[in-house]
Amino acid sequence: MILLHLVLLLGPGGRHHGDNQGASVAGHQTVMLDLIGVELLCLMAASAALRIARTSTPQLNPHH
């Protein structure tokens, strides 16, 4: 999703999902950058949660 929103932000016109409601390009870019930031935070939180879960669960088969 981050990549998709970055491509849409940097693409022609910087429009998101065909939005033609007259929003200013600068305002739209700010919203898109905020959205990318939220997506990055979600990615980091999910990565940390998976790492914590992996290190806190005991190995069921220690021979592998």
Side-chain angles (χ1 to χ4, degrees):
M1 286 303 297
I2 295 168
L3 238 121
L4 173 67
H5 285 114
L6 185 61
V7 167
L8 290 172
L9 174 66
L10 298 176
R15 294 287 177 197
H16 184 243
H17 303 290
D19 183 18
N20 290 321
Q21 296 177 349
S24 71
V25 173
H28 184 261
Q29 289 177 345
T30 301
V31 170
M32 289 293 287
L33 288 173
D34 290 344
L35 178 61
I36 291 170
V38 169
E39 290 171 340
L40 284 171
L41 288 175
C42 290
L43 176 67
M44 288 187 287
S47 176
L50 287 172
R51 182 175 294 268
I52 290 168
R54 183 174 50 177
T55 58
S56 66
T57 47
Q59 294 290 330
L60 296 177
N61 190 356
H63 298 290
H64 289 286

